[in-house]
Amino acid sequence: HVQLVESGGGSVQAGESLTLSCVATGYMPSTTCMGWFRQAPGKEREGVAAIDSDGIASYADSVKGRFTVSRDNANNTVNLMMNSLKPEDTAMYYCAADPCTYCSGGYCYPDFGYWGQGTQVTVS
């Protein structure tokens, strides 16, 4: 059983940076992909960034050039470095993981089966 725990959220001013981290515990096959999603109040959850088992990253258009996803397989960790934050980036951010075939545009396929509890990011 995989458990995911996010950290690093907080409140920042527009233009500042934050780095989110997610640590996974439990067995994860070598084909495991990992991703970050966000959900703002009243909006649907959206994929932000994903990284496949080969370390290939994909991003939502809204964060390209500002966010960078990376993973450390030795420590079962995935990070999301967020630069030039905007008020519209305000949301609860969730980490996700599961074996997948490929990732594109911040999503992986098949969809993720394991999710963290989320960490809040507020940009004013």
Side-chain angles (χ1 to χ4, degrees), residues 12-24:
V12 296
Q13 298 292 316
E16 294 183 342
S17 301
L18 274 178
T19 296
L20 306 182
S21 293
C22 172
V23 179

Side-chain angles (χ1 to χ4, degrees), residues 25-47:
T25 58
Y27 172 70
M28 294 200 301
S30 60
T31 55
T32 295
C33 304
M34 303 186 80
W36 288 95
F37 287 72
R38 67 187 181 187
Q39 187 167 21
K43 294 188 177 181
E44 293 187 354
R45 185 182 68 193
E46 63 171 341

Side-chain angles (χ1 to χ4, degrees), residues 5 9 11 31 38 49 53 61 69-70 84-85 87 90 104 110 116-117 123:
V5 178
S11 296
T31 55
R38 67 187 181 187
S53 57
D61 287 343
V69 63
S70 61
S84 302
L85 282 162
T90 295
S104 177
Q117 293 299 306
V123 185

Side-chain angles (χ1 to χ4, degrees), residues 26-108:
Y27 172 70
M28 294 200 301
S30 60
T31 55
T32 295
C33 304
M34 303 186 80
W36 288 95
F37 287 72
R38 67 187 181 187
Q39 187 167 21
K43 294 188 177 181
E44 293 187 354
R45 185 182 68 193
E46 63 171 341
V48 174
I51 186 164
D52 68 16
S53 57
D54 292 323
I56 299 173
S58 70
Y59 300 91
D61 287 343
S62 59
V63 306
K64 278 182 182 176
R66 300 188 298 122
F67 290 12
T68 302
V69 63
S70 61
R71 66 188 291 173
D72 178 350
N73 291 333
N75 294 303
N76 284 343
T77 300
V78 61
N79 297 317
L80 183 68
M81 184 170 65
M82 306 184 293
N83 295 323
S84 302
L85 282 162
K86 304 175 180 180
E88 50 263 45
D89 294 318
T90 295
M92 186 71 80
Y93 283 71
Y94 299 91
C95 173
D98 222 341
C100 83
T101 302
Y102 74 98
C103 301
S104 177
Y107 294 88
C108 293

